[in-house]
Amino acid sequence: MKNHKEFYRPMTPNTVELLSFDIREQLPGWSFALDVPQITEKILHNNPILFYLESEESCLKLPLNNATMGYKVNVYKNVGKVYVTFKSLKDGVSNFYVPTWHLKKLKVLIIKSRDKRVYGDWEASPHKSIIHQNLQKSGININDYEDVLGYFSNITSIDFKGHFIAKMPNKKSIVPTKIRRKEHELCHSA
């Protein structure tokens, strides 16, 4: 006879975590870095993460080439950090300073759903995200933030972690007794 613990497998949360960062205080600039403690080492290696930049007109999926404005955007993620850089489309290496009025927010979607319609068989091939293919097969445009969020909300719960204001990083002071202010301030939560 088997012990009941042999049948017990802890359930992974069937959610999509949504974080929103107001980046207007970081602009104009050619790059910015955000502290995102929700991106743990386990999340980084086991879960797909999608990034969208919100402008006046739309949410743009990263990475992207914005031919209208003349820049390309790359996003890099690490444990607890997200880095976004803007480069000129003319040569691909010159820094492009994004005007303050152009962009508002960075949206981060951490996919924790184990539903095959969202996740695919991620554990079988974690280095090849099937999420893009599964969304495409379902007729979802991965570049359309509202379309993607609507699709996820029909399959899994959206866990809104909050809207944060990404403050401009302080210059390091040479006086060790000064207290540094927080980089993000929570202004909304679900």
Side-chain angles (χ1 to χ4, degrees), residues 23-68:
I23 59 170
R24 289 177 286 191
E25 289 188 30
Q26 299 259 347
L27 301 174
W30 66 270
S31 71
F32 61 87
L34 300 172
D35 289 325
V36 185
Q38 291 82 357
I39 301 178
T40 62
E41 189 167 347
K42 183 177 178 183
I43 293 290
L44 191 62
H45 295 292
N46 297 314
N47 298 85
I49 303 172
L50 300 175
F51 299 92
Y52 293 86
L53 276 174
E54 183 179 314
S55 69
E56 281 292 328
E57 299 85 37
S58 64
C59 276
L60 309 166
K61 176 154 180 345
L62 299 183
L64 76 91
N65 288 337
N66 187 334
T68 306

Side-chain angles (χ1 to χ4, degrees), residues 4 6 13 20 23 28 45 49 55 63 68 76 82 90-92 94 123 142 150 153 171 182 188-189:
H4 76 283
E6 291 178 37
S20 175
I23 59 170
H45 295 292
I49 303 172
S55 69
T68 306
Y76 307 95
V82 171
K90 290 179 184 175
D91 62 12
S94 298
E123 290 176 350
I142 197 162
S153 67
K171 292 183 179 180
K182 295 180 183 177
H188 300 289
S189 67

Side-chain angles (χ1 to χ4, degrees), residues 98-143:
V98 177
T100 307
W101 57 266
H102 179 55
L103 298 174
K104 293 180 173 184
K105 298 176 187 164
L106 176 72
K107 309 262 185 162
V108 181
L109 294 170
I110 301 172
I111 315 303
K112 291 186 170 181
S113 174
R114 294 293 184 208
D115 190 302
K116 295 283 185 195
R117 293 172 290 177
V118 172
Y119 208 74
D121 195 4
W122 181 260
E123 290 176 350
S125 56
H127 300 295
K128 292 182 183 177
S129 175
I130 304 175
I131 193 167
H132 294 79
Q133 294 169 351
N134 286 348
L135 289 171
Q136 188 176 18
K137 283 180 192 174
S138 300
I140 305 302
N141 178 359
I142 197 162
N143 294 311

Side-chain angles (χ1 to χ4, degrees), residues 167-184:
K167 301 283 186 186
M168 189 64 120
N170 290 340
K171 292 183 179 180
K172 294 186 179 187
S173 82
I174 53 175
V175 181
T177 58
K178 285 191 176 182
I179 299 173
R180 296 183 72 189
R181 79 179 188 196
K182 295 180 183 177
E183 286 195 31
H184 304 298

Side-chain angles (χ1 to χ4, degrees), residues 143-163:
N143 294 311
D144 184 338
Y145 172 76
E146 295 296 329
D147 206 15
V148 170
L149 202 59
Y151 179 75
F152 286 148
S153 67
N154 286 326
I155 295 172
T156 185
S157 64
I158 306 295
D159 184 7
F160 181 60
K161 293 296 186 183
H163 178 71

